[in-house]
Amino acid sequence: MSENYSDIIDFEWGKDSLANRMSLNQRAKIFLPFSALAGYDDALKETQDRETERYLKDQAPSTTCMTDQP
């Protein structure tokens, strides 16, 4: 083995190091505000609004009469 790790290879890990660990809920709270994709939520909302408006316009009753068409 490499001598680079000789100080930690045979290290005795005690139960104290495991007992002081942070709970998963506490760890999750740390990363909650982190957003990997900055602006993604805004772009998604903009797309949703645009598509909803387009859908509602397509669903609106036509103002032309059937007799007006050739």
Side-chain angles (χ1 to χ4, degrees), residues 7 11-12 17-19 29 39 42 44 46 48 52 62 68:
D7 58 334
F11 187 79
E12 294 286 331
S17 65
L18 296 176
K29 288 178 186 177
D42 294 335
L44 189 63
E46 184 178 314
Q48 180 183 11
T52 300
S62 177
D68 293 343

Side-chain angles (χ1 to χ4, degrees), residues 26-52:
Q26 290 173 327
R27 290 176 61 156
K29 288 178 186 177
I30 291 173
F31 294 101
L32 185 63
F34 175 74
S35 177
L37 301 173
Y40 178 74
D41 290 335
D42 294 335
L44 189 63
K45 176 76 171 119
E46 184 178 314
T47 302
Q48 180 183 11
D49 291 345
R50 184 180 61 242
E51 292 302 315
T52 300

